[in-house]
Amino acid sequence: MYKNYFKVAYRNLIKKKAYSFINIYGLALGIACCVLIFMFVRDEMSYDNYHEKGDRIYRLIHGELAADGSTPYPFWVWNNAPVGPALKDDFPEIDKVVQFSGRSDILLTYGDKIYQEDGVFFMDSTVFDVFSWKLLKGNPKTALAAPYSIVLTETTARKYFGNEDPIGKTLKGSESAGRSNAGDYTVTGVMEDVPLNSHFRFNVLLSLNTFRKSIPQVFSEWGYVDFYTYFLVNDKFDEAAFNQKIPAFTARHIKDPNWRYTIKIEPLKDMYLRTTADRQPGETGSLPNIYVFSIIGVFILVIAIINFMNLATARSLERGKEVGIRKSIGAYRSSLISQFLGESFLIVFLSSVLAFLIVFFALPYMKDFTGKELNIQNFITWQSISTFLLLLFFIGFLSGSYPALVLSGFNPVLILKGVSRSTGNGATLRKGLVVFQFSLSIALIAGTIIVYHQMNHILDKDLGFDREQMLVLDYNYDNVVNAKSEVLKAELEKNPQVVSVAFSRSVPGSYYPHAGTEIETPDGELKMMGQPIFQVGLDFVKHFSLHLIAGRAYSREYPSDSSKALIINEAAAQQYGYTNPADIVGKKFRQWGREGVVIGVVKNFNFTSLHQNIEPLTLPFEAYASRYATVKLKPGNISETIRNIGEVWKSIVPHRPFLYSFLDDDFNRQYKSDFMFRRLFTTFSCLAIFIACLGLLGLATYTAQLRTKEIGIRKVLGADVKQIVGLLSADFIKLVVIAIVIATPISWYAMNKWLEGFAYRMDIQPWVFILAGCVALFIAAFTISFQSLKSALMNPVSSLKSE
């Protein structure tokens, strides 16, 4: 019997090749999309799971309370050094504390090999007791104990030493990030490369004792910010009890009554997807985006299942007589249900095979979309295999159950007489499914339009500074380069393609420190307020085309500007109580040991991503603490100009690699995750819409088959093709209109929530939903027109003979 079922199923697939292709391919595409999204989501959820003690690893985040006990400013992961030892002393439930510096780029030299390493941390010797990073060579207890010890990842060690054993060899290091840690570093360990699914990664670890030896005083200053603090707890740790002890802990160690310092803790499992703290040591993910992609994956699969049901139902009339004959010769309904469910499982099996082929060929392109290496071998576990098989069984049963029940329920007497009609409940269900499909499709179309326009809004917004044709040269605070900055500037500006050159510690979109600054308020009091600091050279304001709204810029005509002058932005002027920026010019200031007067106010500019509002900012003059030289270029012949700049660079500072990038690229890199979201959202939205169209095609086919005789009679009575097409399309257009009404408020709410993540966002206009509805109507009309025209052009003689 089962052999006969298989033969019938196989013959039906071969007989109707177009239907079989649409059915198998549509379901395969849905399964493939679901698998790809599952792989992406699982990779995002897997961050830091490889640490053996991960459930006992926490970190501190730091903040400041307002007088009413609220936290007006975001918490930071990055903060002071003395909090770590204090925690270890005050809390016996803490086994190990590991601290490390903010990221430190450093120039390392070995023979003729010179590289600026951009993934470097000064790390505690306890790091290998807390984290599960495997040391391939060296002693994990002592590798980072002594000053000027260095541990390299396997890839970094191979870059400098090839196949040689690096242990005991020496790398010469330059000064890093303004710290006095230049010297000879002895390689004491080689470790495995940090897994890609880590919330922070690195290439080189330097011993924290190197930092401690060079600047020992900062390790006792609670107000000096340059460290991250992680800790390992024992089995007796109670997070709730720990949190209750925090106020007493901070009260014991913070003696300044005006500084309301506080801390919180974050478990390792929350550090990538759930953290809200600023100044992260590495990248973070987006839990809302994970939810969005998961929902899209489920919806795509549901749409594919609905399509299967619609297409199977559309063919029910063709197999009606088969069902009638089987029933008339004694076939039980349960046997027919088993047969049709078996056919469903066969299609699901074929679809799953095709789905895996699609996944296999799509994975390389997923790397371009996500920046992730999604290797299918990493996802082949007994849990994932059993889940996938259960999913296939569920799809097969759900997809085939409704058609099986419909087909097996036909009355054999009526069927053999040529009478067949769909039940009212069945027709209502199919229409409801179409409305559901197109409600989702319209929401996805509207979402795609909004995502694209928001990203274009970010790229096109006037940021308040000139970022076009800006070549950024990174020399990492090199003292020799800073000493020769005026010579370098003069030589570079001799090039007719160079407009101007300026030096600064920061450029928009890059790292910037925070500091407390005292400025005289309108009532004459010197008030301390905190804000970001951009240390700049003389020509920074003019070079970046910042708009000076009060006072003047730094000038060579005023030698005192180097130590007794300060420029701020208008947000900082408002921070100190000045509604008119001109009123703050000439007011006294104190900052980082310098005293003088405010000489100018620049118009607010977006020096950080548009996810954040513009903060108060000070731009102190600093000639010898710069990291970047920015070169403004004229349009045209860029490659030749860069080559000439490189030659000048090598002639003046030959010891330093010529490292360059373009400011607009660097600034837009802040939106890496947003652009990835746009690519994935758009791609899977289009696939969902395509699969929904297959379902609409199935229902159009089904309806046209039901009305074959009606179409024939209408043509005999004089109806033309246009009238027939309009007749068949009208019902579906009504369903799409209903879907537009349902989808509009849902998509508006969802995308409004997404836009809340941007401080500068587009306003959602009604035209977005009008356009989304028009696109959906066009897609529906185009899809339906294929079957409608086919039915309208059918010979009425054939239609009237159809019974």
Side-chain angles (χ1 to χ4, degrees):
M1 181 176 66
Y2 291 107
K3 183 178 180 181
N4 177 260
Y5 288 169
F6 179 80
K7 283 183 178 179
V8 172
Y10 174 76
R11 288 170 180 168
N12 276 306
L13 290 176
I14 296 299
K15 181 180 179 183
K16 296 289 185 179
K17 295 183 177 62
Y19 272 111
S20 301
F21 173 79
I22 292 174
N23 223 342
I24 294 172
Y25 180 72
L27 192 55
L29 194 58
I31 295 172
C33 290
C34 194
V35 170
L36 288 170
I37 291 174
F38 163 77
M39 293 174 70
F40 172 78
V41 169
R42 183 172 174 183
D43 184 82
E44 287 286 282
M45 300 291 288
S46 73
Y47 268 65
D48 302 307
N49 288 347
Y50 62 89
H51 292 292
E52 295 174 5
K53 305 170 186 175
D55 59 334
R56 295 193 288 128
I57 297 175
Y58 291 80
R59 73 177 178 193
L60 291 185
I61 59 174
H62 312 249
E64 188 171 352
L65 297 173
D68 61 359
S70 63
T71 52
Y73 306 110
F75 275 76
W76 282 16
V77 185
W78 191 45
N79 214 268
N80 61 64
V83 69
L87 278 175
K88 186 72 172 66
D89 293 340
D90 289 16
F91 296 96
E93 59 266 44
I94 295 178
D95 280 349
K96 297 283 183 180
V97 173
V98 56
Q99 290 185 295
F100 54 96
S101 69
R103 200 191 80 180
S104 303
D105 298 350
I106 186 171
L107 190 72
L108 291 177
T109 305
Y110 179 72
D112 60 350
K113 296 178 180 178
I114 304 175
Y115 299 100
Q116 180 166 304
E117 296 294 344
D118 59 359
V120 181
F121 291 97
F122 289 86
M123 185 73 71
D124 252 337
S125 59
T126 52
V127 58
F128 297 110
D129 295 327
V130 176
F131 299 106
S132 300
W133 293 319
K134 185 178 179 182
L135 204 64
L136 302 175
K137 295 181 180 180
N139 185 337
K141 300 292 184 184
T142 61
L144 289 170
Y148 293 96
S149 300
I150 184 170
V151 172
L152 308 175
T153 61
E154 195 172 9
T155 298
T156 306
R158 195 177 300 116
K159 181 169 66 175
Y160 288 96
F161 302 104
N163 295 324
E164 298 178 40
D165 185 355
I167 299 297
K169 290 186 168 58
T170 301
L171 287 167
K172 184 176 181 60
S174 70
E175 187 168 305
S176 169
R179 304 184 184 111
S180 302
N181 45 48
D184 295 332
Y185 289 83
T186 302
V187 180
T188 54
V190 177
M191 59 176 284
E192 287 183 344
D193 290 346
V194 181
L196 295 176
N197 58 341
S198 299
H199 76 277
F200 75 97
R201 298 193 290 272
F202 50 84
N203 302 317
V204 175
L205 295 179
L206 309 176
S207 64
L208 191 62
N209 283 327
T210 308
F211 196 162
R212 186 176 282 109
K213 184 178 180 180
S214 63
I215 319 178
Q217 66 273 18
V218 304
F219 284 82
S220 59
E221 294 182 9
W222 286 78
Y224 183 88
V225 177
D226 207 351
F227 300 92
Y228 296 96
T229 303
Y230 288 61
F231 58 92
L232 180 71
V233 300
N234 58 32
D235 294 333
K236 298 179 182 178
F237 180 75
D238 184 333
E239 186 174 342
F242 182 90
N243 288 329
Q244 291 178 353
K245 299 175 186 176
I246 286 176
F249 169 80
T250 55
R252 279 195 302 274
H253 294 280
I254 304 301
K255 305 304 181 184
D256 184 352
N258 297 318
W259 186 24
R260 300 174 63 86
Y261 174 81
T262 189
I263 59 174
K264 291 182 180 180
I265 61 173
E266 283 186 338
L268 182 66
K269 63 182 175 61
D270 291 344
M271 293 178 192
Y272 179 71
L273 285 176
R274 295 175 178 85
T275 183
T276 57
D278 285 349
R279 294 304 181 105
Q280 296 285 339
E283 62 183 5
T284 57
S286 171
L287 195 60
N289 287 357
I290 294 297
Y291 291 146
V292 169
F293 293 138
S294 300
I295 291 170
I296 290 176
V298 170
F299 278 148
I300 288 175
L301 190 60
V302 170
I303 288 172
I305 293 172
I306 291 171
N307 289 350
F308 181 93
M309 295 169 66
N310 280 341
L311 289 169
T313 307
R315 293 195 57 202
S316 61
L317 287 181
E318 297 180 15
R319 304 188 65 181
K321 289 187 177 180
E322 174 192 341
V323 172
I325 293 170
R326 285 181 179 274
K327 279 195 165 185
S328 66
I329 58 176
Y332 292 106
R333 186 177 185 187
S334 59
S335 299
L336 293 171
I337 291 174
S338 298
Q339 176 188 345
F340 294 124
L341 281 176
E343 292 183 14
S344 173
F345 284 120
L346 175 62
I347 292 174
V348 169
F349 172 75
L350 296 175
S351 297
S352 65
V353 173
L354 181 57
F356 269 100
L357 290 175
I358 294 172
V359 169
F360 178 78
F361 287 108
L363 277 178
Y365 299 98
M366 282 292 288
K367 182 182 178 182
D368 296 332
F369 276 109
T370 65
K372 295 177 178 292
E373 287 278 4
L374 299 178
N375 194 326
I376 198 166
Q377 283 84 1
N378 297 335
F379 299 90
I380 299 179
T381 63
W382 69 268
Q383 294 101 327
S384 60
I385 292 174
S386 58
T387 301
F388 182 73
L389 291 176
L390 187 63
L391 178 65
L392 291 183
F393 176 81
F394 173 77
I395 293 171
F397 181 80
L398 186 62
S399 301
S401 58
Y402 176 70
L405 292 172
V406 171
L407 290 169
S408 62
F410 282 163
N411 187 320
V413 176
L414 295 177
I415 288 292
L416 293 176
K417 284 183 176 181
V419 179
S420 175
R421 58 174 58 90
S422 176
T423 66
N425 291 337
T428 302
L429 175 62
R430 285 189 293 277
K431 290 179 180 179
L433 294 178
V434 171
V435 170
F436 171 79
Q437 287 179 317
F438 270 83
S439 296
L440 175 61
S441 299
I442 293 162
L444 292 174
I445 293 168
T448 301
I449 294 170
I450 292 170
V451 168
Y452 258 93
H453 275 268
Q454 174 61 22
M455 296 312 298
N456 289 338
H457 177 71
I458 286 175
L459 295 176
D460 298 338
K461 185 182 183 299
D462 181 7
L463 300 176
F465 66 91
D466 191 356
R467 59 174 170 167
E468 299 300 324
Q469 306 295 125
M470 282 286 193
L471 190 71
V472 180
L473 310 182
D474 181 0
Y475 57 89
N476 197 33
Y477 308 96
D478 191 297
N479 287 333
V480 175
V481 180
N482 279 323
K484 296 182 177 181
S485 59
E486 287 299 312
V487 175
L488 191 59
K489 172 182 170 66
E491 288 299 314
L492 289 175
E493 288 181 347
K494 288 179 182 179
N495 189 323
Q497 288 297 111
V498 173
V499 177
S500 59
V501 178
F503 292 81
S504 58
R505 177 173 182 173
S506 306
V507 292
S510 75
Y511 159 84
Y512 53 90
H514 274 65
T517 305
E518 291 180 281
I519 295 181
E520 187 180 355
T521 61
D523 59 9
E525 177 190 359
L526 275 172
K527 186 177 182 180
M528 172 71 76
M529 301 290 284
Q531 62 280 122
I533 287 182
F534 260 54
Q535 291 169 291
V536 302
L538 279 173
D539 306 301
F540 186 89
V541 172
K542 180 181 178 181
H543 180 72
F544 277 91
S545 302
L546 302 185
H547 181 49
L548 202 64
I549 58 176
R552 63 176 178 85
Y554 297 118
S555 172
R556 289 174 175 81
E557 297 178 5
Y558 298 89
S560 61
D561 282 0
S562 62
S563 59
K564 296 181 179 180
L566 181 66
I567 294 175
I568 64 175
N569 71 351
E570 56 183 320
Q574 293 169 0
Q575 184 185 30
Y576 288 95
Y578 294 92
T579 55
N580 181 6
D583 293 340
I584 201 172
V585 175
K587 300 299 182 181
K588 296 177 183 178
F589 83 89
R590 283 201 291 258
Q591 183 187 74
W592 281 3
R594 299 169 58 181
E595 296 184 20
V597 297
V598 176
I599 64 167
V601 181
V602 296
K603 185 180 176 70
N604 286 340
F605 65 99
N606 294 95
F607 57 93
T608 60
S609 104
L610 295 179
H611 284 282
Q612 300 170 316
N613 287 308
I614 296 175
E615 296 181 82
L617 177 72
T618 62
L619 296 94
F621 173 74
E622 180 56 71
Y624 300 107
S626 296
R627 171 171 182 162
Y628 302 104
T630 50
V631 185
K632 185 184 293 187
L633 306 178
K634 292 180 181 178
N637 206 14
I638 298 297
S639 298
E640 180 67 18
T641 304
I642 292 175
R643 188 182 65 80
N644 292 335
I645 291 172
E647 290 175 356
V648 172
W649 182 271
K650 291 174 184 176
S651 68
I652 297 175
V653 283
H655 71 289
R656 195 83 209 179
F658 179 59
L659 304 175
Y660 67 89
S661 60
F662 282 95
L663 180 59
D664 53 352
D665 292 336
D666 293 343
F667 194 87
N668 290 339
R669 201 166 290 124
Q670 299 175 101
Y671 309 118
K672 175 184 173 183
S673 61
D674 297 309
F675 286 119
M676 181 194 71
F677 177 82
R678 182 177 75 173
R679 288 192 297 269
L680 287 176
F681 188 94
T682 304
T683 300
F684 286 112
S685 294
C686 290
L687 289 171
I689 293 166
F690 173 73
I691 296 172
C693 288
L694 291 179
L696 190 61
L697 176 63
L699 193 55
T701 304
Y702 175 75
T703 303
Q705 286 180 333
L706 284 179
R707 303 176 75 174
T708 300
K709 185 177 286 294
E710 176 191 346
I711 293 168
I713 294 172
R714 286 181 180 275
K715 290 193 75 174
V716 169
L717 295 176
D720 59 19
V721 172
K722 182 179 178 181
Q723 291 172 321
I724 299 294
V725 171
L727 176 70
L728 293 175
S729 303
D731 290 341
F732 297 108
I733 299 303
K734 290 177 185 176
L735 298 179
V736 176
V737 170
I738 294 171
I740 293 172
V741 173
I742 294 172
T744 297
I746 295 173
S747 56
W748 180 88
Y749 175 79
M751 295 314 298
N752 212 44
K753 296 293 288 185
W754 179 74
L755 286 171
E756 287 178 0
F758 296 87
Y760 299 88
R761 51 184 178 265
M762 63 171 284
D763 294 325
I764 301 179
Q765 302 293 337
W767 68 262
V768 171
F769 304 103
I770 295 172
L771 178 60
C774 290
V775 171
L777 284 170
F778 173 79
I779 291 172
F782 181 80
T783 304
I784 297 165
S785 64
F786 171 78
Q787 182 62 40
S788 299
L789 283 170
K790 180 181 176 183
S791 301
L793 294 172
M794 184 182 296
N795 189 330
V797 176
S798 302
S799 301
L800 295 174
K801 284 183 176 179
S802 62
E803 294 186 6

